[in-house]
Amino acid sequence: MRQLLLATGIAVALAACGGRNEPADPAVQAPAASAPTTLADVELIPREALFGNPERAGVQLSPDGQYLSWIAPVDGTMNVWVAPADNPGAAKAVTQDTARGIRSYFWTYKPGTLLYLRDTGGDEDFHLFAVDVENAQSRDLTPFPKTTAQVVGVSHRQPDTLLVGMNDRDAQWHDLYKVDLASGERTLVEQNTDQIAGYIADADYALRFASRSRPDGGMDVLRRNGDAWEVQDDIPFEDVLTTAPAGLTEDGRTLYMSDSRERNTAALYAIDTAGGEKTLVHQDPRADVGGSLTDPRTGVLQAVSVNYLREEWTTLDDSIKADLAKLEAIGPGEVSINSRTLDDKHWLVAYSAAESPVKYYRYDRGEAGAEGTLTELFSGRPALDDKPLVPMWPLELKSRDGLTLVSYLSLPKHADADNDGKADAPVPMVLLVHGGPWARDGYGYSAMDQWLANRGYAVLSVNFRGSTGFGKDFTNAGNGEWAAKMHDDLIDAVQWAVDSGVTTSDKVAIMGGSYGGYATLVGLTFTPETFACGVDIVGPANLNTLLSTVPPYWASFFEQLTRRMGDPRTEAGKAWLTERSPLSRADAITKPLLIGQGANDPRVKQAESDQIVEAMTAKNIPVTYVLFPDEGHGFARPENNKAFNAVAEGFLETCLGGRSQPIGDEFAGSSITVPTGANGVPGLADALKSHTQDVRK
């Protein structure tokens, strides 16, 4: 049931703990009968089943209820498929991508027309395409070089057009256009000369509110007054990651706000746009209000969620209470509503749990608030049916200075025979650090966690200070603490795992992407004796060059970055960034390191990985460097993801002593290159000799 509230944020990249706590119950507790006693007793799950193309993903219903759609492979590349809603077997592909594939699409209110976003080689210059599903013809609605589209408005009152932000005039700021879906013609609505970070329009596309960053790192909420903007509200820097407009009702009378001012956790408020009266809708002292459900026609809020250990929903509208109860009865995992028809008679529902990949259902609502009919459609990854997936156990750990760190532990099946969330004996462990760092780990199915657990490793993910979702105090506790208290939290997490018998101090790897990659490099440079090895995926090594090369359209967030990290425009800031950069301590690395990088990454440029590799090579410190010429901030193509994970699997087996599936033909279709250190992973050099590189942008 997830329609995320509007929030500010970016991604650069990761995790932490202290005292012993009892694990909470997982969503699904598998029977302990005939439990395996050794890793060899557990079926090895093929990487293809975990990381290859799903059979179906992103299933939706069109607003008029006529079509069922999803993303699925065409000759190995993900494309959009559409079927009559009452006949899924008659589906046909309506896009013809042959390169990176399509991963993000949604329906418009123009009958038979959907939209999808696509970049080139991971450069994040996302163009917006419209597709006529009857003739499968696509049109680029943003056909301008170095342009990143931002969809601002899609309305059933304006079914033939939409509002789109485009930064082709000024790379830093998006001008706002109304775009005709049939012709692609754009009409300027507003030239963004006021450094607007985001717009909110009503259902008739009249501009109502906007947000603008300030030099102090705070944010102004602006209100439209004629043809000009006036400041309506002030969001201080301390609240800017937890306070933001969260939606406008169809009639424009109510603005929803996620707001942490004069409190810690972000509560949800309804604001009367005429008189300014502010009404509390929902709050939770443990965590920020996060998800929401709104009526598809009116935009009125119907349910909200808070995610502390697990996501918990509160129903605000009695008319959907029976519906949500019906969906919750699917199982003890988590339910999301992917789409609702405009008349709200039909919903497309997804269900999953930590040990259960997503399944899709059609839900036909009953009359007058009665419960409706739920029909299972299909599984997203049927290849994982009946495979030995494991639970994920939520934990509350303590940092050395008393912060509560919500964390998640997955144990190999053979290491928890009685399925109580406690290791029967120590096993090797991977500390898996999340990106952001202004993001969070949460409960749910994770291919990465299941893969590592199946290979014999405990997996611990920790929401270290600086993570979001647990109130502004916890997030702001990470300010200025890169490679300091944020890292202390990770070290505390490792110590908890050792003290709890999950692992031993000599068998812990650190791994992560983006900020998680940075944390990996910090682990091997600032605390080189803590970890047996590290896997860094698109992590920054030099914080000065990281901040000097952020994408231009991050201009509205730049002041927040400098206040939370360091300001490269000042001598003190540059010195701080240098001190906290792993590159400055590259000669301290003594443990094996694997680095993965996308050549087109606009956030953490290739130079970040190149710098640390060059520094290590100059000092004859071994490193294995995997580079993909058609990837950006992470590995989107399944062929590349599988290829990197095949390398990582062999690397971790050598380091920690788990098990691995041979590389075999896992490089087929990938663009993998290994500029440095191919001999550091068993079988890698030989696999590269027979590999024919396949670059697809």
Side-chain angles (χ1 to χ4, degrees), residues 335-390:
V335 172
S336 61
I337 299 174
N338 284 14
S339 55
R340 299 162 73 172
T341 56
L342 188 58
D343 62 14
D344 210 22
K345 292 182 178 180
H346 312 287
W347 297 357
L348 198 290
V349 175
Y351 170 83
S352 67
E355 57 273 64
S356 174
V358 65
K359 289 187 177 182
Y360 297 100
Y361 298 80
R362 176 186 173 118
Y363 179 66
D364 300 307
R365 298 186 68 202
E367 297 292 333
E371 73 171 35
T373 303
L374 191 66
T375 304
E376 182 175 341
L377 296 175
F378 27 66
S379 169
R381 287 188 179 271
L384 289 176
D385 291 350
D386 302 320
K387 296 299 181 185
L389 304 180
V390 300

Short mmCIF file of all heavy atoms in Angstrom, two decimals, residues 335-390:
data_model
loop_
_atom_site.label_atom_id
_atom_site.label_comp_id
_atom_site.label_asym_id
_atom_site.label_seq_id
_atom_site.Cartn_x
_atom_site.Cartn_y
_atom_site.Cartn_z
N VAL A 335 2.05 -5.83 1.99
CA VAL A 335 1.19 -5.63 0.83
C VAL A 335 1.39 -4.21 0.31
O VAL A 335 1.53 -3.26 1.08
CB VAL A 335 -0.29 -5.82 1.22
CG1 VAL A 335 -1.21 -5.42 0.08
CG2 VAL A 335 -0.55 -7.27 1.61
N SER A 336 1.42 -4.06 -1.00
CA SER A 336 1.41 -2.74 -1.60
C SER A 336 0.36 -2.71 -2.70
O SER A 336 0.07 -3.73 -3.33
CB SER A 336 2.79 -2.38 -2.18
OG SER A 336 3.16 -3.29 -3.19
N ILE A 337 -0.24 -1.55 -2.88
CA ILE A 337 -1.23 -1.37 -3.94
C ILE A 337 -0.54 -0.63 -5.08
O ILE A 337 -0.23 0.55 -4.98
CB ILE A 337 -2.46 -0.59 -3.43
CG1 ILE A 337 -3.13 -1.37 -2.30
CG2 ILE A 337 -3.45 -0.34 -4.56
CD1 ILE A 337 -4.26 -0.62 -1.62
N ASN A 338 -0.27 -1.36 -6.15
CA ASN A 338 0.47 -0.77 -7.27
C ASN A 338 -0.34 0.24 -8.05
O ASN A 338 0.20 1.23 -8.54
CB ASN A 338 0.94 -1.88 -8.23
CG ASN A 338 2.12 -2.65 -7.68
OD1 ASN A 338 2.44 -2.57 -6.50
ND2 ASN A 338 2.77 -3.42 -8.54
N SER A 339 -1.64 -0.02 -8.20
CA SER A 339 -2.48 0.91 -8.96
C SER A 339 -3.94 0.69 -8.62
O SER A 339 -4.32 -0.39 -8.16
CB SER A 339 -2.25 0.76 -10.47
OG SER A 339 -2.44 -0.58 -10.90
N ARG A 340 -4.73 1.74 -8.84
CA ARG A 340 -6.18 1.70 -8.63
C ARG A 340 -6.85 2.34 -9.83
O ARG A 340 -6.37 3.36 -10.35
CB ARG A 340 -6.55 2.48 -7.36
CG ARG A 340 -5.92 1.93 -6.11
CD ARG A 340 -5.91 2.91 -4.95
NE ARG A 340 -7.23 3.12 -4.35
CZ ARG A 340 -7.44 3.82 -3.25
NH1 ARG A 340 -6.40 4.39 -2.62
NH2 ARG A 340 -8.65 3.97 -2.76
N THR A 341 -7.93 1.76 -10.29
CA THR A 341 -8.64 2.38 -11.41
C THR A 341 -9.28 3.68 -10.94
O THR A 341 -9.50 3.89 -9.75
CB THR A 341 -9.71 1.44 -11.97
OG1 THR A 341 -10.61 1.07 -10.91
CG2 THR A 341 -9.08 0.18 -12.56
N LEU A 342 -9.56 4.55 -11.89
CA LEU A 342 -10.09 5.87 -11.55
C LEU A 342 -11.43 5.76 -10.82
O LEU A 342 -11.72 6.56 -9.92
CB LEU A 342 -10.23 6.72 -12.81
CG LEU A 342 -10.60 8.19 -12.60
CD1 LEU A 342 -9.58 8.90 -11.73
CD2 LEU A 342 -10.72 8.90 -13.96
N ASP A 343 -12.25 4.77 -11.18
CA ASP A 343 -13.52 4.58 -10.48
C ASP A 343 -13.34 3.84 -9.16
O ASP A 343 -14.30 3.62 -8.41
CB ASP A 343 -14.54 3.86 -11.36
CG ASP A 343 -14.10 2.45 -11.77
OD1 ASP A 343 -13.13 1.91 -11.19
OD2 ASP A 343 -14.72 1.89 -12.70
N ASP A 344 -12.12 3.41 -8.88
CA ASP A 344 -11.72 2.75 -7.63
C ASP A 344 -12.41 1.41 -7.42
O ASP A 344 -12.50 0.94 -6.28
CB ASP A 344 -11.95 3.66 -6.42
CG ASP A 344 -10.96 3.37 -5.30
OD1 ASP A 344 -9.88 2.82 -5.59
OD2 ASP A 344 -11.26 3.69 -4.14
N LYS A 345 -12.83 0.77 -8.48
CA LYS A 345 -13.46 -0.54 -8.35
C LYS A 345 -12.46 -1.68 -8.38
O LYS A 345 -12.75 -2.79 -7.92
CB LYS A 345 -14.50 -0.74 -9.45
CG LYS A 345 -15.72 0.17 -9.33
CD LYS A 345 -16.72 -0.12 -10.44
CE LYS A 345 -17.97 0.76 -10.30
NZ LYS A 345 -18.95 0.49 -11.39
N HIS A 346 -11.28 -1.41 -8.93
CA HIS A 346 -10.29 -2.48 -9.12
C HIS A 346 -8.91 -2.00 -8.69
O HIS A 346 -8.50 -0.89 -9.03
CB HIS A 346 -10.26 -2.92 -10.59
CG HIS A 346 -11.62 -3.17 -11.17
ND1 HIS A 346 -12.37 -4.27 -10.85
CD2 HIS A 346 -12.36 -2.43 -12.03
CE1 HIS A 346 -13.52 -4.22 -11.49
NE2 HIS A 346 -13.54 -3.12 -12.21
N TRP A 347 -8.21 -2.87 -7.97
CA TRP A 347 -6.85 -2.57 -7.51
C TRP A 347 -5.90 -3.65 -8.02
O TRP A 347 -6.28 -4.80 -8.18
CB TRP A 347 -6.78 -2.55 -5.98
CG TRP A 347 -7.60 -1.50 -5.30
CD1 TRP A 347 -8.35 -0.52 -5.88
CD2 TRP A 347 -7.74 -1.32 -3.88
NE1 TRP A 347 -8.95 0.27 -4.92
CE2 TRP A 347 -8.60 -0.20 -3.68
CE3 TRP A 347 -7.24 -1.98 -2.77
CZ2 TRP A 347 -8.96 0.25 -2.41
CZ3 TRP A 347 -7.57 -1.52 -1.51
CH2 TRP A 347 -8.42 -0.42 -1.33
N LEU A 348 -4.65 -3.25 -8.23
CA LEU A 348 -3.59 -4.21 -8.52
C LEU A 348 -2.69 -4.26 -7.28
O LEU A 348 -2.13 -3.24 -6.86
CB LEU A 348 -2.80 -3.79 -9.76
CG LEU A 348 -1.94 -4.84 -10.46
CD1 LEU A 348 -0.74 -5.24 -9.62
CD2 LEU A 348 -2.76 -6.08 -10.79
N VAL A 349 -2.55 -5.43 -6.71
CA VAL A 349 -1.92 -5.60 -5.41
C VAL A 349 -0.67 -6.47 -5.54
O VAL A 349 -0.67 -7.46 -6.29
CB VAL A 349 -2.92 -6.25 -4.42
CG1 VAL A 349 -2.25 -6.55 -3.09
CG2 VAL A 349 -4.13 -5.35 -4.24
N ALA A 350 0.38 -6.12 -4.81
CA ALA A 350 1.60 -6.92 -4.73
C ALA A 350 1.81 -7.35 -3.29
O ALA A 350 1.60 -6.56 -2.36
CB ALA A 350 2.80 -6.13 -5.24
N TYR A 351 2.24 -8.59 -3.10
CA TYR A 351 2.51 -9.12 -1.77
C TYR A 351 3.88 -9.79 -1.76
O TYR A 351 4.24 -10.50 -2.70
CB TYR A 351 1.46 -10.15 -1.35
CG TYR A 351 1.85 -10.90 -0.09
CD1 TYR A 351 1.59 -10.34 1.16
CD2 TYR A 351 2.49 -12.13 -0.15
CE1 TYR A 351 1.97 -11.00 2.32
CE2 TYR A 351 2.87 -12.80 1.01
CZ TYR A 351 2.61 -12.23 2.24
OH TYR A 351 2.99 -12.87 3.39
N SER A 352 4.65 -9.55 -0.70
CA SER A 352 5.92 -10.24 -0.55
C SER A 352 6.29 -10.29 0.92
O SER A 352 5.75 -9.55 1.75
CB SER A 352 7.04 -9.56 -1.35
OG SER A 352 7.33 -8.29 -0.80
N ALA A 353 7.22 -11.17 1.25
CA ALA A 353 7.82 -11.25 2.57
C ALA A 353 9.30 -11.48 2.37
O ALA A 353 9.77 -11.69 1.25
CB ALA A 353 7.18 -12.38 3.38
N ALA A 354 10.06 -11.43 3.45
CA ALA A 354 11.51 -11.59 3.32
C ALA A 354 11.87 -12.86 2.57
O ALA A 354 12.75 -12.87 1.72
CB ALA A 354 12.16 -11.59 4.71
N GLU A 355 11.16 -13.96 2.88
CA GLU A 355 11.47 -15.23 2.23
C GLU A 355 10.44 -15.58 1.16
O GLU A 355 10.26 -16.75 0.81
CB GLU A 355 11.57 -16.35 3.27
CG GLU A 355 10.35 -16.54 4.12
CD GLU A 355 10.32 -15.65 5.35
OE1 GLU A 355 10.26 -14.42 5.18
OE2 GLU A 355 10.37 -16.18 6.46
N SER A 356 9.79 -14.57 0.61
CA SER A 356 8.78 -14.79 -0.43
C SER A 356 8.81 -13.65 -1.43
O SER A 356 8.31 -12.56 -1.13
CB SER A 356 7.38 -14.90 0.21
OG SER A 356 6.38 -14.97 -0.78
N PRO A 357 9.42 -13.84 -2.61
CA PRO A 357 9.41 -12.78 -3.63
C PRO A 357 7.99 -12.41 -4.02
O PRO A 357 7.03 -13.11 -3.73
CB PRO A 357 10.17 -13.41 -4.80
CG PRO A 357 10.97 -14.50 -4.19
CD PRO A 357 10.15 -15.03 -3.05
N VAL A 358 7.87 -11.32 -4.71
CA VAL A 358 6.57 -10.70 -4.96
C VAL A 358 5.62 -11.60 -5.75
O VAL A 358 6.01 -12.29 -6.69
CB VAL A 358 6.76 -9.35 -5.67
CG1 VAL A 358 7.35 -9.54 -7.08
CG2 VAL A 358 5.46 -8.57 -5.74
N LYS A 359 4.35 -11.57 -5.32
CA LYS A 359 3.25 -12.16 -6.07
C LYS A 359 2.22 -11.05 -6.33
O LYS A 359 2.04 -10.16 -5.49
CB LYS A 359 2.60 -13.31 -5.31
CG LYS A 359 3.46 -14.55 -5.23
CD LYS A 359 2.69 -15.71 -4.61
CE LYS A 359 3.56 -16.98 -4.61
NZ LYS A 359 2.83 -18.15 -4.06
N TYR A 360 1.55 -11.15 -7.46
CA TYR A 360 0.61 -10.11 -7.86
C TYR A 360 -0.82 -10.63 -7.84
O TYR A 360 -1.09 -11.79 -8.19
CB TYR A 360 0.95 -9.60 -9.27
CG TYR A 360 2.30 -8.93 -9.34
CD1 TYR A 360 3.42 -9.62 -9.83
CD2 TYR A 360 2.47 -7.62 -8.92
CE1 TYR A 360 4.66 -9.01 -9.89
CE2 TYR A 360 3.72 -7.00 -8.98
CZ TYR A 360 4.80 -7.70 -9.46
OH TYR A 360 6.04 -7.10 -9.52
N TYR A 361 -1.72 -9.75 -7.41
CA TYR A 361 -3.13 -10.07 -7.29
C TYR A 361 -3.97 -8.96 -7.91
O TYR A 361 -3.59 -7.79 -7.89
CB TYR A 361 -3.55 -10.20 -5.82
CG TYR A 361 -2.87 -11.30 -5.05
CD1 TYR A 361 -1.57 -11.12 -4.55
CD2 TYR A 361 -3.51 -12.50 -4.80
CE1 TYR A 361 -0.94 -12.12 -3.82
CE2 TYR A 361 -2.89 -13.51 -4.07
CZ TYR A 361 -1.60 -13.32 -3.59
OH TYR A 361 -0.99 -14.30 -2.87
N ARG A 362 -5.13 -9.35 -8.41
CA ARG A 362 -6.16 -8.39 -8.79
C ARG A 362 -7.20 -8.40 -7.67
O ARG A 362 -7.62 -9.46 -7.20
CB ARG A 362 -6.81 -8.77 -10.11
CG ARG A 362 -7.97 -7.84 -10.51
CD ARG A 362 -8.67 -8.34 -11.76
NE ARG A 362 -9.87 -7.55 -12.03
CZ ARG A 362 -10.06 -6.81 -13.11
NH1 ARG A 362 -9.12 -6.78 -14.04
NH2 ARG A 362 -11.17 -6.14 -13.28
N TYR A 363 -7.57 -7.21 -7.23
CA TYR A 363 -8.58 -7.10 -6.19
C TYR A 363 -9.77 -6.31 -6.72
O TYR A 363 -9.63 -5.15 -7.13
CB TYR A 363 -8.00 -6.40 -4.95
CG TYR A 363 -9.00 -6.23 -3.84
CD1 TYR A 363 -9.52 -7.35 -3.17
CD2 TYR A 363 -9.44 -4.97 -3.45
CE1 TYR A 363 -10.45 -7.20 -2.15
CE2 TYR A 363 -10.37 -4.81 -2.43
CZ TYR A 363 -10.87 -5.93 -1.78
OH TYR A 363 -11.80 -5.78 -0.78
N ASP A 364 -10.93 -6.96 -6.76
CA ASP A 364 -12.17 -6.31 -7.20
C ASP A 364 -12.98 -5.97 -5.96
O ASP A 364 -13.39 -6.85 -5.20
CB ASP A 364 -12.96 -7.25 -8.12
CG ASP A 364 -12.17 -7.63 -9.36
OD1 ASP A 364 -11.69 -6.70 -10.04
OD2 ASP A 364 -12.00 -8.83 -9.63
N ARG A 365 -13.19 -4.68 -5.74
CA ARG A 365 -13.80 -4.22 -4.51
C ARG A 365 -15.29 -4.60 -4.44
O ARG A 365 -15.97 -4.71 -5.46
CB ARG A 365 -13.66 -2.71 -4.38
CG ARG A 365 -12.22 -2.23 -4.30
CD ARG A 365 -12.16 -0.75 -4.03
NE ARG A 365 -12.63 -0.46 -2.67
CZ ARG A 365 -13.08 0.73 -2.28
NH1 ARG A 365 -13.16 1.73 -3.17
NH2 ARG A 365 -13.48 0.92 -1.04
N GLY A 366 -15.76 -4.78 -3.20
CA GLY A 366 -17.17 -5.07 -2.98
C GLY A 366 -18.00 -3.80 -2.98
O GLY A 366 -17.49 -2.68 -3.11
N GLU A 367 -19.28 -3.97 -2.82
CA GLU A 367 -20.20 -2.83 -2.80
C GLU A 367 -20.34 -2.29 -1.38
O GLU A 367 -20.33 -3.03 -0.40
CB GLU A 367 -21.57 -3.25 -3.33
CG GLU A 367 -21.58 -3.71 -4.79
CD GLU A 367 -21.28 -2.58 -5.75
OE1 GLU A 367 -21.57 -1.41 -5.38
OE2 GLU A 367 -20.76 -2.84 -6.85
N ALA A 368 -20.46 -0.96 -1.28
CA ALA A 368 -20.81 -0.29 -0.02
C ALA A 368 -19.89 -0.68 1.13
O ALA A 368 -20.35 -0.95 2.25
CB ALA A 368 -22.26 -0.58 0.35
N GLY A 369 -18.61 -0.74 0.87
CA GLY A 369 -17.65 -1.00 1.93
C GLY A 369 -17.45 -2.46 2.28
O GLY A 369 -16.66 -2.78 3.18
N ALA A 370 -18.16 -3.36 1.60
CA ALA A 370 -17.97 -4.79 1.87
C ALA A 370 -16.64 -5.25 1.26
O ALA A 370 -16.14 -4.65 0.30
CB ALA A 370 -19.12 -5.60 1.28
N GLU A 371 -16.08 -6.33 1.82
CA GLU A 371 -14.82 -6.83 1.27
C GLU A 371 -15.05 -7.38 -0.13
O GLU A 371 -16.12 -7.85 -0.47
CB GLU A 371 -14.20 -7.88 2.18
CG GLU A 371 -14.88 -9.22 2.19
CD GLU A 371 -14.06 -10.25 2.95
OE1 GLU A 371 -13.42 -9.91 3.96
OE2 GLU A 371 -14.08 -11.42 2.53
N GLY A 372 -14.01 -7.30 -0.95
CA GLY A 372 -14.13 -7.70 -2.34
C GLY A 372 -13.53 -9.06 -2.61
O GLY A 372 -13.33 -9.88 -1.72
N THR A 373 -13.18 -9.27 -3.90
CA THR A 373 -12.67 -10.56 -4.36
C THR A 373 -11.20 -10.42 -4.76
O THR A 373 -10.83 -9.55 -5.55
CB THR A 373 -13.48 -11.06 -5.56
OG1 THR A 373 -14.85 -11.14 -5.20
CG2 THR A 373 -12.98 -12.42 -6.02
N LEU A 374 -10.37 -11.31 -4.22
CA LEU A 374 -8.95 -11.29 -4.48
C LEU A 374 -8.59 -12.45 -5.40
O LEU A 374 -8.92 -13.60 -5.11
CB LEU A 374 -8.19 -11.41 -3.16
CG LEU A 374 -6.68 -11.15 -3.17
CD1 LEU A 374 -6.39 -9.69 -3.50
CD2 LEU A 374 -6.09 -11.51 -1.80
N THR A 375 -7.91 -12.16 -6.51
CA THR A 375 -7.55 -13.19 -7.48
C THR A 375 -6.04 -13.15 -7.70
O THR A 375 -5.49 -12.13 -8.11
CB THR A 375 -8.26 -12.95 -8.83
OG1 THR A 375 -9.67 -12.89 -8.62
CG2 THR A 375 -7.92 -14.06 -9.81
N GLU A 376 -5.36 -14.27 -7.40
CA GLU A 376 -3.92 -14.32 -7.64
C GLU A 376 -3.66 -14.37 -9.14
O GLU A 376 -4.27 -15.15 -9.87
CB GLU A 376 -3.30 -15.53 -6.96
CG GLU A 376 -1.79 -15.61 -7.13
CD GLU A 376 -1.15 -16.74 -6.35
OE1 GLU A 376 -1.79 -17.26 -5.40
OE2 GLU A 376 -0.01 -17.11 -6.69
N LEU A 377 -2.73 -13.54 -9.60
CA LEU A 377 -2.39 -13.48 -11.02
C LEU A 377 -1.13 -14.29 -11.32
O LEU A 377 -1.17 -15.27 -12.05
CB LEU A 377 -2.20 -12.02 -11.44
CG LEU A 377 -3.44 -11.13 -11.36
CD1 LEU A 377 -3.08 -9.68 -11.69
CD2 LEU A 377 -4.52 -11.64 -12.30
N PHE A 378 0.01 -13.90 -10.74
CA PHE A 378 1.25 -14.61 -11.02
C PHE A 378 2.34 -14.16 -10.06
O PHE A 378 2.23 -13.13 -9.38
CB PHE A 378 1.73 -14.41 -12.47
CG PHE A 378 1.28 -13.13 -13.10
CD1 PHE A 378 1.74 -11.91 -12.62
CD2 PHE A 378 0.39 -13.13 -14.15
CE1 PHE A 378 1.33 -10.72 -13.21
CE2 PHE A 378 -0.03 -11.94 -14.73
CZ PHE A 378 0.44 -10.74 -14.27
N SER A 379 3.41 -14.93 -10.04
CA SER A 379 4.60 -14.63 -9.25
C SER A 379 5.59 -13.86 -10.11
O SER A 379 5.71 -14.09 -11.32
CB SER A 379 5.25 -15.92 -8.74
OG SER A 379 6.52 -15.68 -8.19
N GLY A 380 6.30 -12.93 -9.47
CA GLY A 380 7.31 -12.19 -10.20
C GLY A 380 8.52 -13.04 -10.53
O GLY A 380 9.14 -12.86 -11.58
N ARG A 381 8.88 -13.95 -9.64
CA ARG A 381 10.04 -14.82 -9.84
C ARG A 381 9.68 -16.26 -9.48
O ARG A 381 10.09 -16.77 -8.43
CB ARG A 381 11.23 -14.34 -8.99
CG ARG A 381 11.87 -13.08 -9.49
CD ARG A 381 13.15 -12.76 -8.75
NE ARG A 381 13.79 -11.56 -9.25
CZ ARG A 381 14.68 -11.53 -10.24
NH1 ARG A 381 15.04 -12.66 -10.82
NH2 ARG A 381 15.20 -10.39 -10.66
N PRO A 382 8.93 -16.94 -10.33
CA PRO A 382 8.54 -18.32 -10.02
C PRO A 382 9.73 -19.26 -9.88
O PRO A 382 9.62 -20.32 -9.26
CB PRO A 382 7.65 -18.72 -11.19
CG PRO A 382 7.98 -17.75 -12.29
CD PRO A 382 8.36 -16.47 -11.61
N ALA A 383 10.89 -18.89 -10.44
CA ALA A 383 12.07 -19.74 -10.31
C ALA A 383 12.53 -19.86 -8.86
O ALA A 383 13.30 -20.77 -8.52
CB ALA A 383 13.22 -19.18 -11.16
N LEU A 384 12.05 -18.96 -7.99
CA LEU A 384 12.43 -19.03 -6.58
C LEU A 384 11.40 -19.76 -5.73
O LEU A 384 11.60 -19.91 -4.51
CB LEU A 384 12.65 -17.62 -6.02
CG LEU A 384 13.91 -16.90 -6.53
CD1 LEU A 384 13.96 -15.48 -5.97
CD2 LEU A 384 15.17 -17.66 -6.14
N ASP A 385 10.32 -20.19 -6.34
CA ASP A 385 9.32 -20.96 -5.59
C ASP A 385 10.00 -22.21 -5.01
O ASP A 385 10.72 -22.93 -5.72
CB ASP A 385 8.15 -21.37 -6.48
CG ASP A 385 7.29 -20.18 -6.89
OD1 ASP A 385 7.49 -19.09 -6.32
OD2 ASP A 385 6.44 -20.34 -7.79
N ASP A 386 9.76 -22.46 -3.74
CA ASP A 386 10.26 -23.65 -3.04
C ASP A 386 11.78 -23.68 -2.89
O ASP A 386 12.35 -24.72 -2.55
CB ASP A 386 9.82 -24.95 -3.77
CG ASP A 386 8.30 -25.04 -3.88
OD1 ASP A 386 7.62 -24.69 -2.90
OD2 ASP A 386 7.82 -25.46 -4.94
N LYS A 387 12.43 -22.54 -3.11
CA LYS A 387 13.87 -22.48 -2.86
C LYS A 387 14.10 -22.17 -1.37
O LYS A 387 13.23 -21.63 -0.69
CB LYS A 387 14.53 -21.42 -3.73
CG LYS A 387 14.47 -21.71 -5.22
CD LYS A 387 15.16 -23.01 -5.59
CE LYS A 387 15.10 -23.28 -7.08
NZ LYS A 387 15.68 -24.60 -7.43
N PRO A 388 15.27 -22.50 -0.84
CA PRO A 388 15.52 -22.35 0.60
C PRO A 388 15.83 -20.91 1.00
O PRO A 388 16.94 -20.57 1.44
CB PRO A 388 16.72 -23.27 0.84
CG PRO A 388 17.46 -23.26 -0.46
CD PRO A 388 16.39 -23.18 -1.53
N LEU A 389 14.83 -20.04 0.87
CA LEU A 389 14.98 -18.65 1.30
C LEU A 389 14.85 -18.57 2.82
O LEU A 389 14.25 -19.44 3.46
CB LEU A 389 13.94 -17.77 0.61
CG LEU A 389 13.95 -17.83 -0.92
CD1 LEU A 389 12.88 -16.91 -1.50
CD2 LEU A 389 15.32 -17.46 -1.48
N VAL A 390 15.40 -17.52 3.40
CA VAL A 390 15.48 -17.44 4.87
C VAL A 390 14.76 -16.20 5.38
O VAL A 390 14.56 -15.22 4.65
CB VAL A 390 16.95 -17.41 5.34
CG1 VAL A 390 17.68 -18.68 4.90
CG2 VAL A 390 17.67 -16.16 4.83
#
